[in-house]
Amino acid sequence: MVNHGAVYADAAAQLLGEYEPGVCFFLSSPRRTLLAKGEWARLWMQPGEGSPQALSQRVNELLAAAGRTGGESIVVGAIPFDLTKPAELVVPLSAHWAGPLSFSGEDGGEAARGGEAGRGSRAREQTVPGPGYEVSMHPAPEYYKQSVKEAVRRMNQGLLQKVVLSRTLQLTSAEPIDLSRLLRNLARHNPQGYTFAVNLGGGEGGLARKAGGSAGSKSAGVRTLIGASPELLITKTGLSIRANPLAGSAPRSDDPAEDERRAAALLVSAKDRFEHKLVVEAVEAALHPFCRSLEVPVGPSLVQTETMWHLSTDIYGELADREVTVLDLALSLHPTPAICGTPTGLARETILEAEPFERGFFTGTVGWCDAKGDGEWIVTIRCAEVEDRSLRLYAGAGIVADSSAEAELAETAAKFRTLLLAMGLNDPQLAAGVSAEEGL
């Protein structure tokens, strides 16, 4: 029998401690923490069947079947960037809920508060997985810069408005990676964001290169998508919805005056505001047909993570039809210009040409949906796929006509370092190696 009782008495920290790689789904947000265990049923779809309508229908059928067993059904998992590829969605055996995660004292109170104290708390964390890494980057810095220049050339010809180009950083350790510790480190450094871990099963999956390239890890062990995203795609409760697109960013500084200067500069940057405007307009256009009312602020605001400033817009709406599910909305939004580009079709073609790897679940969406159609889905960025001793990080940058190839390369490098530090991979030689290979 499926047991989906909401156990709000469980402490969020306890749920984090109970996370078990290979059998659990974990998602913490500023509002709640979810730990789903086991697998009652799995969504199976043939390659090429993953249209938004087909995927939503199959999820509804799966939830209805689970509901007939007498339990409150919920689907959890990850949807890939490319909807023609299989999703990883399951009905778990049990789902346990708590309030938002919080840390205190030596367990990360400074990190939860952010700022200089939060950045200093890294010194207390143990490195994961240990000293000594083999590091490779795909594509190489010069290749990436040429791709950015080609994208800008197309924009100057009026063919593109924006495209997001990504890179990967592959780390191989001499020891197996401690996923539970990795997840705790990410949660500690991401108290206002969305920290997740999704079981992707075994095999190469998203770690594989495109045909003709070298394969990733050949380990038959558990493969896990893990990360700490700052970006909410969509959340729904009853008729109420909220989306929070982010686009346009700048790295923070340890110097308070410089940090303030960077934030102010980002807020008035014409390049970043244009990039952000494209995303907000696309989100508004996708949600409008579903809504009785939709509130979109005139301009963006600033939000901060421990290491980055972002332009942010909070969009609130009221649905016209209660039968519309959060997954319907997520699939109508995906992929937004924040992770693909504008126009979508041409941006997708540019990505396929420029990126010498499969994105897999990077820039997809992670979340949950219940039988009432309520739920929460986040944009799968600031993430990595982990398998045995191998860890592949992903980072992308939004390219517009005013973009500089050097600046976009530096942004991907900053995002790599941000994720490494948040994971507790604060090895000086590794950080220096990433910077050196970027030419920074």
Side-chain angles (χ1 to χ4, degrees), residues 110-330:
E110 293 88 345
R113 287 189 292 273
E116 291 182 39
R119 289 189 282 275
S121 70
R122 298 189 191 106
R124 292 198 304 271
E125 296 175 356
Q126 296 184 26
T127 300
V128 182
Y133 312 89
E134 294 180 10
V135 180
S136 61
M137 296 184 182
H138 305 283
E142 286 303 317
Y143 179 103
Y144 183 80
K145 288 195 290 186
Q146 287 302 316
S147 296
V148 172
K149 292 175 182 177
E150 171 60 21
V152 169
R153 185 187 68 80
R154 295 184 184 187
M155 290 168 193
N156 290 332
Q157 292 179 338
L159 301 176
L160 265 177
Q161 287 185 289
K162 176 186 176 180
V163 66
V164 177
L165 296 180
S166 305
R167 308 181 64 226
T168 68
L169 175 66
Q170 182 81 33
L171 305 181
T172 304
S173 169
E175 304 171 7
I177 294 168
D178 188 337
L179 268 170
S180 295
R181 180 175 291 165
L182 208 64
L183 184 63
R184 288 195 299 272
N185 286 345
L186 284 169
R188 181 181 291 111
H189 283 284
N190 194 44
Q192 301 305 314
Y194 304 84
T195 302
F196 57 89
V198 185
N199 176 30
L200 300 180
E204 293 176 346
L207 288 176
R209 297 291 302 279
K210 288 184 178 178
S214 60
S217 170
K218 296 182 180 179
S219 169
V222 171
R223 192 165 58 93
T224 303
L225 178 70
I226 190 168
S229 174
E231 186 168 1
L232 171 70
L233 181 63
I234 191 73
T235 185
K236 173 185 175 290
T237 304
L239 292 174
S240 299
I241 64 169
R242 173 180 174 243
N244 184 208
L246 306 181
S249 60
R252 299 191 64 187
S253 171
D254 289 331
D255 177 74
E258 173 61 16
D259 193 46
E260 185 176 343
R261 187 200 68 77
R262 292 182 184 183
L266 176 63
L267 193 57
V268 298
S269 164
K271 178 258 185 190
D272 289 289
R273 289 181 72 96
F274 174 71
E275 180 184 345
H276 188 81
K277 179 173 177 285
L278 291 176
V279 178
V280 172
E281 288 178 344
V283 171
E284 181 180 10
L287 293 178
H288 189 267
F290 298 99
C291 291
R292 178 179 291 113
S293 63
L294 197 61
E295 300 177 11
V296 183
V298 174
S301 59
L302 283 171
V303 297
Q304 65 192 69
T305 67
E306 192 180 351
T307 54
M308 298 291 290
W309 288 104
H310 297 284
L311 293 181
S312 164
T313 295
D314 257 322
I315 299 174
Y316 292 89
E318 181 183 1
L319 294 174
D321 183 357
R322 190 177 294 273
E323 297 302 311
V324 172
T325 72
V326 70
L327 188 58
D328 293 331
L329 299 173

Side-chain angles (χ1 to χ4, degrees), residues 24-43:
C24 290
F25 169 93
F26 180 87
L27 175 62
S28 70
S29 77
R31 296 179 57 197
R32 58 174 72 88
T33 302
L34 167 62
L35 179 70
K37 300 180 179 180
E39 182 180 312
W40 180 82
R42 172 175 290 270
L43 180 74

Side-chain angles (χ1 to χ4, degrees), residues 56-75:
S56 185
Q57 180 180 344
R58 293 294 293 275
V59 167
N60 289 339
E61 293 170 355
L62 197 59
L63 287 170
R68 288 192 290 271
T69 68
E72 181 183 357
S73 52
I74 183 174
V75 161

